[in-house]
Amino acid sequence: MKGILLAGGHGSRLYPITLGTSKQLLPVYDKPLIYYPLSVLMLAGIREVQIISTPDDLGSFQRLLGDGSALGMFLSYAIQDRPRGLAESFLIAADHIGNESVALVLGDNIFHGPGFARLLQSKVRDVQGCVLFGYPVSDPERYGIGEVDDQGTLVSLVEKPERPRSNLAVTGLYLYDNDIVDIAKNLKPSARGELEITDVNQVYLERGRAELVSLGRGFVWLDAGTHDALTEAGQYVQILEHRQGVRIACIEEIAWRMGFIDREACLKLGGRLAASPYGQYVLDVATAE
């Protein structure tokens, strides 16, 4: 499976902070926001990832992450010069996807919960159609909502429903089989002139090949796209890391534990960051076992 990390857009909900930088480079406590969605793909076992961003911001991501080889990964980069909808990412990344299935994660989404890596790995193993991830919210009228029947089968997808029949919001993590590229090619732009991810999911639903996995009690999903949400995400990470003594979305640790790199490479990565508590944590992880 290939990965796509969509880190484009203008971050207008975070103005004026994002007038000079990408929102995915803003700190969520001790690391850039982009580390969190990247860690999701890594936990799924995905090593080939294309990062899609704006012409102005792409160089910053390349300086931060390079070609991915230090993490045992293969990172490539592509430009989305202006927002034309989430589904355009599949057209931009068509060569990257090739004949494989693909995972798309949005660059401002944070996922955390017990057993999350096992859940992801089980779902990416053999994708037949599309797999969406739902999260219960108290204000479903603000989200794309998935409705399931008593057997857990997805029966409807509605964008910002006036009278929601479910509270399961569709999060910014999507798994698709290789039909996704052809489906995206045949989409018609919406009234706002964009290729909508909801339309993609609707095609799979109509074909009877869409699944909604509920991330229930114990999981956390955060969309760090506003000032309040960004602050709350940082506070959540800070509290959890201080109380548990582990670091969420530490990509160096994940690369080592997933077998992407060996202990020596992990030590090297930690040494490069050793002046910070984050770097010291990486060193401690690599030497503790």
Side-chain angles (χ1 to χ4, degrees), residues 256 261-269 284-289:
W256 181 54
I261 60 175
D262 58 21
R263 186 190 304 270
E264 182 179 348
C266 191
L267 285 168
K268 184 176 180 181
L269 289 170
D284 290 344
V285 163
T287 56
E289 301 177 13

Side-chain angles (χ1 to χ4, degrees), residues 89-120:
S89 61
F90 304 112
L91 304 182
I92 295 171
D95 289 341
H96 167 68
I97 296 169
N99 296 318
E100 297 193 34
S101 55
V102 63
L104 169 67
V105 64
L106 304 188
D108 58 3
N109 275 222
I110 297 171
F111 296 85
H112 183 252
F116 189 44
R118 289 192 300 275
L119 174 64
L120 287 175

Side-chain angles (χ1 to χ4, degrees), residues 1 36-46 101-105 110-127 131-134 171-176 211 213-215 219-220 254 258:
M1 175 174 275
Y36 296 87
L38 179 59
S39 73
V40 169
L41 298 176
M42 294 173 69
L43 288 170
I46 298 170
S101 55
V102 63
L104 169 67
V105 64
I110 297 171
F111 296 85
H112 183 252
F116 189 44
R118 289 192 300 275
L119 174 64
L120 287 175
Q121 291 161 24
S122 70
K123 292 301 178 182
V124 304
R125 201 167 291 130
D126 184 28
V127 177
V131 180
L132 311 175
F133 294 85
T171 67
L173 174 62
Y174 315 86
L175 310 180
Y176 298 100
E211 176 186 2
V213 178
S214 178
L215 301 176
F219 279 91
V220 171
I254 293 171
M258 291 293 296

